[in-house]
Amino acid sequence: MAFQKPPDGGWGWVIVVVSFFTQFLCYGSPLAVGVLYLEWLDAFGEGKGKTAWVGSLANGIGLLASPVCSICVSSFGARPVAIFSGFMVAGGLMMSSFAPNIYFLYVSYGIVVGLGCGLLYTATVTITCQYFDKRRGLALGLISTGSSVGLFIYAALQRELIELYGLDGCLLIVGALSLNILACGSLMRPLESSSSPPPEKMFVDKLPDQYFVYHEKEKTVEENISILEKGYIDEKCVNNVPDCKQDSILNKNALSSMNINEKDTYKKKVVEQTNFCKQLAKRKWQLYLTYWKETMVLFKNKVFSALFVAILLFDIGGFPPSLLMEDVARSANISEDDYYMPLISIIGIMTTVGKLILGILADFKWVNTLYLYVTTLLMTGVALFAIPFAKSYLTLAMLSGILGFLTGNWSIFPYVTTKTVGIEKLTHAYGILMFFAGLGNSLGPPIVGWFYDWTQEYNTAFYFSGFCVLLGGFLLLLAALPCWNACTNQSSKLPPNTYSYKVASNA
């Protein structure tokens, strides 16, 4: 399907608005799941590590399934996927209100809601990229703040709804709010060329003529033969009755011979189609082999390998505070009267600020985005080490703000990946990195929860988290030192692409 030139405006701004609200509505509850986490601990009485799996799955499954999400959007379009995913998110949230145990929540909230969010993120990013070219960075930056604003508002909203209607009522209302995604998705009008032929016609035009020759003959040959045979026999029977039977027998014999020829033609076409399928499967297999070979070439780049380790360790250690900070405050015996704002809300609003400021800094030519990203990792590790020493709401609020701001380094991660592997390999490399980011998101909170179940305090858990992030930052710093530049430049000269696909991100 041929697309028009991106208008960089017009209906594109409607796409930006509905994409912003789509991410706001779908990511609000999963990112602010720390409020629900406390209620699930009290409701089901399970360990912190086991309960933390619910929120970690909801936030990590979308990244883990990003290749599948991309295939769905590429195959069906952004609007159908957005509408279908809206039902998934709303249905998963409403089903979670009837959860009889924590295992039911793994499926309803963790997998169903998480996969719906991943599909919606891919749909919003894809449709926005179709409508914007020169202003694509601005448009993507605007829609990405929807999730952060959702975290800020949903943290307070879910707490208020729990006080008024209980946990079950809160999930039902939040699920009902998510149905507004359907209205947003219906406005995601695809950008198609008005002169482009219908998909059915394009598909037929691309088929070789040899694959439907027999189909046409099959419909017409027997009809024509029967008509000619009938007319000839009728004429002979009128003029010469004795010859009628003889001609009928001869025509039947001719018809039988023609049917045999048609059967031979049909067999020949089947053989040709079988050979075509074999050649297609062989080419696909060769494509996959090339993909994995180029993946191995990517990992020969020392900076890329260090970046892969850093993003995995960063998400293992840096993601848990957004899920567990409320429980950290409760474990520190901080009175609810001291709460001026939920700590998760502070993380959300400062993440928005961090995305904007770090994104602006990355645009300056004198700023090395790789070193900027390393700096955010090292500062995040130090902030995590400081959490065990925070015993008041004010201190925890300050650390939450710092961690939220530094988490905004997601906005510069595409810049770092591009600097590492080059623009021609960005899609391939970014997809691999996002998969392992999702793996870190899924593993981080349960690991911290298991540390608490083992030691009955969060100190050891956050020391472990801080160590993971610092280790990833130092490894990336060592790999990015100038002494590795020659090796990096040599390994970044990769063979040209022989494949094409899209990958969702969560930047």
Side-chain angles (χ1 to χ4, degrees):
M1 182 176 295
F3 291 103
Q4 299 174 357
K5 183 180 179 181
D8 281 304
W11 191 260
W13 294 118
V14 177
I15 297 296
V16 169
V17 172
V18 298
S19 297
F20 172 89
F21 280 106
T22 296
Q23 293 199 21
F24 171 84
L25 292 167
C26 73
Y27 276 107
S29 181
L31 289 178
V33 73
V35 176
L36 303 175
Y37 171 76
L38 298 177
E39 302 299 323
W40 288 329
L41 284 174
D42 297 335
F44 300 115
E46 300 286 354
K48 295 181 185 292
K50 185 182 290 187
T51 308
W53 270 110
V54 181
S56 62
L57 283 174
N59 286 278
I61 199 71
L63 290 174
L64 289 172
S66 58
V68 178
C69 297
S70 298
I71 292 173
C72 290
V73 174
S74 299
S75 302
F76 303 106
R79 180 159 58 183
V81 169
I83 294 174
F84 175 77
S85 303
F87 281 112
M88 286 187 65
V89 173
L93 289 170
M94 292 180 181
M95 287 169 55
S96 300
S97 65
F98 303 101
N101 51 54
I102 199 69
Y103 302 102
F104 187 90
L105 285 174
Y106 289 163
V107 178
S108 62
Y109 197 97
I111 297 178
V112 176
V113 175
L115 186 58
C117 290
L119 288 168
L120 285 169
Y121 187 89
T122 307
T124 55
V125 170
T126 301
I127 193 71
T128 303
C129 289
Q130 290 175 2
Y131 271 86
F132 287 90
D133 183 16
K134 296 179 181 178
R135 299 178 179 177
R136 183 174 296 169
L138 174 62
L140 291 175
L142 290 174
I143 69 170
S144 68
T145 58
S147 58
S148 301
V149 176
L151 169 59
F152 171 70
I153 294 179
Y154 268 75
L157 176 64
Q158 290 186 147
R159 171 175 288 182
E160 193 67 24
L161 290 175
I162 289 172
E163 292 180 359
L164 294 175
Y165 305 105
L167 176 61
D168 297 342
C170 170
L171 289 170
L172 283 173
I173 294 173
V174 172
L177 287 175
S178 299
L179 289 173
N180 289 287
I181 296 173
L182 305 181
C184 295
S186 64
L187 294 174
M188 294 181 183
R189 186 173 65 196
L191 184 65
E192 299 178 9
S193 175
S194 57
S195 61
S196 61
E200 295 81 2
K201 187 176 185 303
M202 290 179 62
F203 180 75
V204 173
D205 290 344
K206 290 180 180 179
L207 289 175
D209 293 338
Q210 58 180 335
Y211 295 113
F212 54 84
V213 167
Y214 178 72
H215 180 68
E216 295 296 331
K217 285 186 176 181
E218 187 179 20
K219 293 191 299 183
T220 58
V221 168
E222 292 187 4
E223 295 177 1
N224 294 336
I225 291 175
S226 62
I227 293 172
L228 292 173
E229 177 192 4
K230 182 179 179 182
Y232 179 76
I233 292 174
D234 290 344
E235 183 179 357
K236 286 290 183 181
C237 288
V238 172
N239 297 330
N240 192 354
V241 175
D243 294 337
C244 180
K245 294 182 179 180
Q246 183 178 359
D247 291 339
S248 177
I249 295 172
L250 291 174
N251 282 313
K252 287 182 179 179
N253 292 334
L255 179 61
S256 299
S257 63
M258 293 187 70
N259 286 337
I260 293 174
N261 292 333
E262 290 299 322
K263 289 179 181 179
D264 292 339
T265 304
Y266 175 74
K267 291 179 180 179
K268 182 179 180 181
K269 301 308 175 186
V270 169
V271 172
E272 290 178 356
Q273 291 183 22
T274 303
N275 292 333
F276 172 77
C277 292
K278 288 181 179 180
Q279 292 297 325
L280 181 62
K282 185 177 180 180
R283 274 188 291 172
K284 289 290 184 182
W285 178 249
Q286 196 65 34
L287 196 67
Y288 293 137
L289 288 179
T290 304
Y291 169 81
W292 289 113
K293 287 179 182 178
E294 294 185 1
T295 300
M296 297 306 296
V297 173
L298 274 177
F299 278 98
K300 292 181 181 179
N301 185 328
K302 294 180 174 60
V303 178
F304 178 81
S305 299
L307 192 61
F308 145 74
V309 176
I311 191 65
L312 177 63
L313 294 177
F314 172 74
D315 279 279
I316 289 177
F319 177 66
S322 63
L323 176 61
L324 304 174
M325 192 61 81
E326 297 293 332
D327 192 45
V328 171
R330 186 168 72 170
S331 301
N333 297 320
I334 296 176
S335 174
E336 293 186 0
D337 296 334
D338 297 334
Y339 267 73
Y340 302 102
M341 182 184 295
L343 296 175
I344 299 179
S345 294
I346 297 175
I347 293 176
I349 195 64
M350 289 305 296
T351 300
T352 305
V353 176
K355 285 181 178 179
L356 294 175
I357 294 180
L358 293 174
I360 292 172
L361 287 176
D363 286 334
F364 289 109
K365 295 181 179 180
W366 52 269
V367 175
N368 188 309
T369 54
L370 185 58
Y371 290 150
L372 178 63
Y373 184 75
V374 169
T375 303
T376 61
L377 294 183
L378 297 178
M379 292 178 66
T380 300
V382 173
L384 290 170
F385 270 115
I387 289 179
F389 300 98
K391 302 300 181 183
S392 65
Y393 172 81
L394 181 61
T395 309
L396 284 176
M398 293 176 60
L399 290 174
S400 298
I402 293 172
L403 288 171
F405 179 86
L406 296 173
T407 305
N409 62 6
W410 277 103
S411 64
I412 64 173
F413 192 72
Y415 289 83
V416 176
T417 309
T418 304
K419 183 178 178 64
T420 303
V421 300
I423 189 64
E424 69 280 355
K425 290 296 178 182
L426 176 61
T427 302
H428 188 185
Y430 201 66
I432 297 172
L433 295 173
M434 286 300 99
F435 176 84
F436 286 100
L439 185 62
N441 273 350
S442 301
L443 294 178
I447 291 175
V448 172
W450 289 330
F451 269 108
Y452 184 92
D453 294 336
W454 178 38
T455 62
Q456 295 302 310
E457 44 86 19
Y458 274 117
N459 294 352
T460 306
F462 282 105
Y463 290 148
F464 170 79
S465 297
F467 172 76
C468 287
V469 178
L470 283 176
L471 177 61
F474 278 120
L475 288 176
L476 185 56
L477 178 61
L478 289 175
L481 290 176
C483 60
W484 297 109
N485 282 346
C487 299
T488 302
N489 292 335
Q490 182 179 359
S491 60
S492 63
K493 295 179 180 178
L494 304 176
N497 279 344
T498 55
Y499 53 88
S500 177
Y501 68 101
K502 298 178 182 177
V503 178
S505 66
N506 196 24

